[in-house]
Every structure is written in structure tokens, then in C-alpha cells.
Amino acid sequence: MPSSFKQAILNKRMLICIFTGFSSGLPLFVLYQLVPGWLRDQGVSLAEIGLFSLIGIPYVWKFLWSPLMDRYSLGGLGRRRSWMLATQVLLLISIAAFGLVNPVENIWSVAYLAAAVAFFSASQDIVLDAYRRELLPDNELGLGNSIHVQAYRLSGLVPGSLAFILADHISWQSVFIIVAAFMVLGILLTLFIKELETEHNAPKSLRDAIVLPFKDFIQSNGLKSAGFTLAFLVLYKLGDNMATALQTPFFIDMGFSKTEIGVIAKTSSIIAMTIGIVVGGIVMIKLSINRALWLFGFVQIASILGFAALAEIGHNNYALAIAMGFEYLGVGLGTAAFTAFIARTTNPAFAATQIALFTALAVLPRTFANATTGFIVEQIGWTQFYFLCTALAVPGMLMLFKVAPWHEKTEQKVIETKTGV
């Protein structure tokens, strides 16, 4: 029997989802908010900053080493927790190391370090996603992933807000050390949770860990349906991923100070995320993942236009607050529904590899398309750039007719396939 609304919200699993979201999001926002803002503040060009999006390649290719994390354990903590601890410690060290590099004199060292952070972050995502899929029963996938995503985005307040406020008062070296210290929250999570006992054992061989997840996906969905699903994963987040790629440099170009970016933009984000947690949770439980993808997808598209309006208005604190708040609400809700869809599509027996593959496809446009964003902005300007991002968000919405129709037949079929009903 499905749990009640109150039982679905007030349980230990939802608390764990908060910590997995925060630990997963922090290193990504270091790469996509803090590092670009730091580089721009130090005088690095927009074109060079845009190329830094290529350091996200590990997020695209993480499915290549995810079978290793499905098959092997690193020690006595268990298959999931041992990988969690290793990646989190390495992230703490590598994020702090940014402060030791002068980006103007040694931009390649920054690039190498960013690539290392991306690799450790992508690896952490593999195991956290797998743990969360094993943790949540099917009827809690929507709410659990909504909470995870909101905590994920909440973590952006550290590198995207706190860091810039501190940078006006202390050295960048100290800023990176403080930001890195927040990875301790993820380490504490790993030490205090238990390794889950599931009916799905680790693959018996590395070959099984590689082959069976892909075979299972094709057999469960059929070749044509699987193709539609993979196309949807690529297209649904394309527009908003591009729109947020150069967010901090955009604010700086609009004339906002680092403190204004930290205080105004991120305070409005907290309000938006609070609303998002409530709205997202209710919609996910009361409606469905399919319908959430439709509703939140439209809000996600509209939120991109807020940046276009800000580009026209210019340096205005109220406009910044409204644009950022709307963006966090729209993109956050869209991401929550999208993440729940990915979790629902996977088989818990092959969670690490299948989720790694699906999320890798989702970030494929962010990595390669975003690398061109700096050049595009320099050619057509900020306003036209955001109109382009809005147009690129439409194809993903059209794919919903195939992969997540408003009516529930497709969703029920998927649940029955995964649960064996």
C-alpha cells in the first residue's frame, strides 16, 4: 500500500536525500559558478571561460567506469559507502587546491585541476545515485528525487553566494579552502548511514556489470521506445543548461558586484527553492512524474526568458532577484521531475551503470554546447543568446508526447516492468 503524504515526507530516507543532494551539487557548482566567476574576476576572457565547460566531459563518459563501481568494493564500508568516502575526500582536497593556482599565469593548471574535480564529482554522482535508487521505494521516487534536487541546488549557495561575499573580504585561496570544507557534510553522511541490504547482489563479473545493464534497458523498453527515451534525455535540459552556463560572468557583465551577486541573487534563490520543495513534493505525490515533467517543463522554459529581460534592463537589483528566483524555481522543478523520471526508468539491479548512462546523456549538451556559449554571446549579445536558449528548450518538450504522455498508461507500464507486477 502506498504510504500517506505525511509518512512519505517525514522519514529518514528523505533526510538522507537532503545530504546526497548537497554533497552531489557542491562540486558541480564550484565548476560552473565559482570557477567561472573567479576567472572572470581575474581578467580571463569569456571565450576561454566558455571553453572550461569541456572539463565536464567526465560527467558525459562516467558510464564507462560505472561498472567498476557496481562490481567492486574499496574496503570494509561496503560497495556503495566505500566509493562515496573515497570520492568525497578527493573532492575536498582538489577543490581546496584551486586557491594555490594563479589563473592568469597558469591557466592550464586550473584546467587540469578542474578536470580532476569533474572526474571525482562524476564518480561520486554514480554511487550516490545508485544508493538513492536502492534506498527509495517506487512510490517515493518522485518526492525523494525532488528533495535531492532542491538540496543539490541549495548547495550552490556556498560556491555561488557565500564564496563571492567572502571574496570581497578575504583572499581567493581562503575562499576555496572554506568552500572545500563543506564536503565534510558528505563525508559525515557516508560515515553515519548504513550499507543497504538489497535483493540485488553485485554483478558476478565485470563483464556482467558492463553488458547486463544495457541488455536489460533494451529488453524492458523495446528498441524504438529506448531510442525515444535516450533522445528525450539529451534534449529536455538543453535550453536551460546553456542558459545557466555563463550565469556568473553574465551578472558581472551587467555590472553587479560580487557581494550583490552573493546576497541578492542567492537570497531570492533560497525563497524560490523553499517554494519549489513544497510545490514539487505535492505535485510529485498527488499527480505523477509524467505530469510533473509537463508542468515543470513549461515553467523551466519561461524562466529562461527572465535572463533575457535582465539583459535588457541591466544593473537593477530587483530585476536580478526576480530573474534568479524564477530561474531557480523553474529549472529546479524541471530538474526534480527529470531526475525522478531517470530513476523510474532504471532497474535497481543495475542502478549505478544505468543511471550513469542516462545522466551522462542528459549532460552531453551541457558539456559540448556550453563550450560554445562564450563565442555565441560575443557574436550575438546576451539578449539574443537567451532567446536562442529558449528555442532550444522546445524540442525536449515535444518528446514528452512519446516518453511521458499526460495520461498514465506509459508510467504504469514502466512501474509494472520494474517491480515485476
Side-chain angles (χ1 to χ4, degrees):
M1 293 291 293
S3 61
S4 69
F5 184 79
K6 182 177 179 181
Q7 291 172 327
I9 295 176
L10 302 177
N11 63 56
K12 184 179 178 181
R13 292 183 294 275
M14 297 304 118
L15 180 62
I16 291 174
C17 287
I18 293 174
F19 281 91
T20 63
F22 189 92
S23 182
S24 180
L26 183 70
L28 181 78
F29 286 110
V30 166
L31 294 176
Y32 286 95
Q33 289 190 352
L34 180 55
V35 170
W38 170 52
L39 294 176
R40 191 58 170 166
D41 183 63
Q42 299 296 303
V44 178
S45 72
L46 275 178
E48 287 180 298
I49 294 173
L51 288 174
F52 262 78
S53 297
L54 292 175
I55 53 91
I57 287 176
Y59 292 101
V60 176
W61 296 106
K62 62 184 180 181
F63 67 91
L64 294 178
W65 65 90
S66 60
L68 294 172
M69 305 177 82
D70 249 346
R71 173 66 183 89
Y72 299 108
S73 171
L74 292 180
L77 289 177
R79 186 162 52 113
R80 301 305 188 200
R81 293 171 67 223
S82 63
W83 284 105
M84 286 185 203
L85 184 61
T87 54
Q88 289 162 351
V89 171
L90 289 169
L91 281 168
L92 188 152
I93 296 171
S94 55
I95 291 171
F98 275 112
L100 303 176
V101 181
N102 185 322
V104 177
E105 296 179 358
N106 204 343
I107 192 68
W108 280 107
S109 293
V110 177
Y112 296 142
L113 194 54
V117 171
F119 177 78
F120 299 142
S121 175
S123 300
Q124 181 194 221
D125 286 351
I126 292 171
V127 66
L128 286 180
D129 288 342
Y131 185 90
R132 197 173 65 258
R133 181 63 182 96
E134 294 170 350
L135 175 72
L136 297 173
D138 284 340
N139 64 301
E140 292 181 1
L141 282 176
L143 178 61
N145 281 283
S146 177
I147 290 174
H148 168 86
V149 168
Q150 297 301 337
Y152 183 102
R153 294 178 66 78
L154 178 67
S155 69
L157 294 174
V158 176
S161 176
L162 176 64
F164 287 99
I165 295 171
L166 292 175
D168 269 340
H169 305 283
I170 61 177
S171 68
W172 278 109
Q173 180 178 354
S174 299
V175 168
F176 278 107
I177 291 174
I178 292 171
V179 171
F182 277 87
M183 284 304 304
V184 171
L185 293 175
I187 293 172
L188 291 176
L189 166 72
T190 301
L191 295 177
F192 281 103
I193 61 176
K194 296 180 179 179
E195 186 77 5
L196 297 173
E197 295 181 4
T198 69
E199 59 185 279
H200 308 291
N201 297 319
K204 295 180 180 179
S205 67
L206 184 58
R207 182 183 182 278
D208 284 350
I210 296 172
V211 175
L212 293 182
F214 298 95
K215 184 178 180 181
D216 171 81
F217 175 62
I218 298 297
Q219 290 180 341
S220 297
N221 297 275
L223 188 60
K224 184 176 181 180
S225 179
F228 283 132
T229 300
L230 295 178
F232 169 72
L233 294 174
V234 172
L235 295 173
Y236 187 70
K237 300 291 292 180
L238 174 60
D240 68 87
N241 277 336
M242 285 189 66
T244 56
L246 294 176
Q247 186 182 93
T248 306
F250 167 58
F251 295 154
I252 291 174
D253 280 6
M254 292 297 101
F256 295 102
S257 69
K258 293 188 289 294
T259 298
E260 285 176 322
I261 294 171
V263 175
I264 299 173
K266 305 310 173 180
T267 299
S268 63
S269 302
I270 294 177
I271 298 173
M273 282 187 291
T274 302
I275 297 172
I277 290 173
V278 176
V279 173
I282 292 174
V283 171
M284 291 287 192
I285 291 178
K286 298 297 183 181
L287 294 181
S288 68
I289 294 174
N290 279 23
R291 295 184 178 185
L293 285 166
W294 281 92
L295 294 175
F296 299 160
F298 283 117
V299 178
Q300 182 176 269
I301 290 177
S303 68
I304 300 174
L305 295 173
F307 287 123
L310 180 60
E312 288 297 298
I313 295 171
H315 186 199
N316 182 290
N317 291 341
Y318 293 106
L320 174 64
I322 293 172
M324 259 322 279
F326 193 32
E327 185 271 334
Y328 257 79
L329 179 62
V331 175
L333 290 173
T335 302
F338 186 61
T339 304
F341 172 83
I342 289 176
R344 189 190 68 191
T345 305
T346 62
N347 186 331
F350 312 108
T353 299
Q354 286 189 343
I355 295 179
L357 173 63
F358 299 151
T359 54
L361 287 171
V363 301
L364 183 66
R366 182 180 72 198
T367 300
F368 293 101
N370 288 7
T372 66
T373 53
F375 296 101
I376 295 174
V377 171
E378 289 184 346
Q379 292 297 316
I380 66 176
W382 286 110
T383 302
Q384 296 302 317
F385 169 71
Y386 288 120
F387 285 144
L388 173 63
C389 293
T390 303
L392 290 174
V394 174
M397 289 295 295
L398 296 177
M399 291 300 300
L400 288 173
F401 286 104
K402 292 292 186 181
V403 302
W406 184 262
H407 298 291
E408 300 302 302
K409 291 181 180 180
T410 299
E411 183 162 349
Q412 185 61 34
K413 181 179 179 182
V414 172
I415 293 174
E416 290 174 357
T417 301
K418 299 303 177 187
T419 57
V421 176

